[in-house]
Amino acid sequence: MGIENGEMVDQPKAGHIQTKQRFGDVQLHVEWMIPVLPQGRKGQDRGNSGVFLQGLYEVQVLDT
């Protein structure tokens, strides 16, 4: 992960982005860019990501 223009940016194969700080109630805003991939790639082999909450739940983000 790196910081670019004040934003956290994930680097390929760098692992998860996570905080060490604990939060109670939050309002989370996530923006992502879907990669341009060959048409032959289907399902989770395309733009597959997610947001983990409290180490228990995942909100799955797919390009479908």
Side-chain angles (χ1 to χ4, degrees):
M1 175 192 69
I3 303 294
E4 297 176 11
N5 299 319
E7 301 171 350
M8 287 192 309
V9 179
D10 189 22
Q11 304 298 323
K13 309 279 187 210
H16 299 297
I17 296 174
Q18 64 186 53
T19 72
K20 293 180 181 179
Q21 185 176 353
R22 292 178 171 258
F23 295 91
D25 294 335
V26 298
Q27 180 176 343
L28 180 65
H29 176 92
V30 178
E31 293 185 21
W32 68 94
M33 187 171 81
I34 298 170
V36 178
L37 297 170
Q39 290 296 322
R41 294 178 75 173
K42 301 203 183 293
Q44 292 189 6
D45 193 28
R46 295 187 53 80
N48 176 16
S49 190
V51 177
F52 292 95
L53 302 169
Q54 300 176 328
L56 299 172
Y57 310 102
E58 180 182 9
V59 178
Q60 193 76 51
V61 179
L62 299 172
D63 72 346
T64 55

